[in-house]
Amino acid sequence: MIEARNLVKKYGSFIAVNHLSLSLCTGETVVLLGPNGSGKSTLLGMLSLTSKPDEGEVTVDGLSGKNAKKKIAFAPQEIVLFEELTTMENLLSWSTLKGKEAKERAEYLISELDMDSFKKKRVDRLSGGQRRRVNLAVALMGNYDYILMDEPLAGIDDYGGKCIKNLLETEKEKGRGILFTEHNPTILLPLMDRKLTIDGGCFVS
């Protein structure tokens, strides 16, 4: 379980996240909703252990630090790819897996996200939606128990959204906990077990 207790994040006098607590269990999907500037991405950064809270703590299955971070796959909204490398090369370069295991995982993700037609293309020659799919696949190139995603459908067409939904359904069936932020999660609604709405750094529902 990912457990967040009384998280606070400040930028000067501005409180972006104000004493929030939440949990995410394996096999569960939680959607974090809210308008731009509500604190969604800031909260997700702390939950993924890529950003430290000013107050509070996050543990993953009772662990903290590097051991906890290894259990989380995090797909940020920003594209974090090597532009000069191909889709396949990016997956293998970012992977925490090695050798045959890495290759098999990459082929699985390429199949699930229907990226075979551009797996040998350089990233700088891909469309925005294709880059988004590669960005998500890169985040999933490891052994993890939890998947955290910041607006995974941003810039994705309906077909790409369905590919992501199908992949996440499979990951959920494998017992992985999933939490993502989204403005309009219509395509992913069938996956949702709980939703939380944040505004002004606080939960409003």
Side-chain angles (χ1 to χ4, degrees):
M1 177 187 294
I2 296 180
E3 278 195 280
R5 305 177 189 87
N6 295 313
L7 297 184
V8 175
K9 190 69 175 181
K10 301 176 182 178
Y11 298 98
S13 60
F14 176 69
I15 302 176
V17 171
N18 192 359
H19 293 95
L20 295 187
S21 298
L22 63 88
S23 63
L24 175 68
C25 298
T26 53
E28 177 185 37
T29 299
V30 176
V31 182
L32 186 61
L33 303 172
N36 288 334
S38 61
K40 300 191 306 297
S41 295
T42 302
L43 176 58
L44 198 64
M46 291 186 285
L47 293 174
S48 64
L49 304 177
T50 57
S51 173
K52 290 185 178 181
D54 294 312
E55 298 178 31
E57 65 173 349
V58 177
T59 58
V60 184
D61 297 335
L63 302 172
S64 59
K66 290 182 179 179
N67 290 329
K69 198 169 185 178
K70 290 177 182 178
K71 289 177 166 282
I72 296 173
F74 176 51
Q77 195 174 152
E78 298 79 15
I79 300 293
V80 288
L81 301 173
F82 296 119
E83 298 283 325
E84 72 280 6
L85 299 183
T86 67
T87 293
M88 176 62 84
E89 288 169 343
N90 263 278
L91 266 60
L92 297 178
S93 294
W94 287 96
S95 177
T96 59
L97 305 174
K98 304 298 181 185
K100 182 181 178 181
E101 190 178 12
K103 186 68 182 298
E104 288 178 348
R105 181 65 178 170
E107 292 289 0
Y108 163 75
L109 292 169
I110 286 169
S111 175
E112 288 291 305
L113 292 172
D114 195 16
M115 301 191 300
D116 194 68
S117 63
F118 55 88
K119 72 177 183 180
K120 295 181 180 179
K121 284 187 179 180
R122 284 172 47 133
V123 163
D124 58 5
R125 295 173 184 170
L126 302 182
S127 69
Q130 290 172 335
R131 288 155 62 92
R132 284 282 173 194
R133 277 186 270 168
V134 179
N135 202 54
L136 174 59
V138 158
L140 302 184
M141 282 294 297
N143 290 316
Y144 49 84
D145 296 312
Y146 305 93
I147 303 170
L148 275 58
M149 300 170 289
D150 195 0
E151 298 198 18
L153 300 182
I156 295 286
D157 60 17
D158 286 346
Y159 178 74
K162 289 176 182 176
C163 290
I164 291 172
K165 172 182 173 290
N166 292 339
L167 172 62
L168 294 179
E169 282 179 335
T170 302
E171 296 294 289
K172 183 175 182 177
E173 288 170 1
K174 292 178 179 178
R176 284 161 179 150
I178 300 169
L179 186 148
F180 62 92
T181 69
E182 195 56 65
H183 286 296
N184 182 18
T186 305
I187 297 174
L188 301 180
L189 280 178
L191 296 171
M192 185 174 66
D193 296 306
R194 286 192 289 136
K195 69 175 180 178
L196 300 169
T197 302
I198 184 172
D199 199 3
C202 300
F203 287 134
V204 295
S205 66

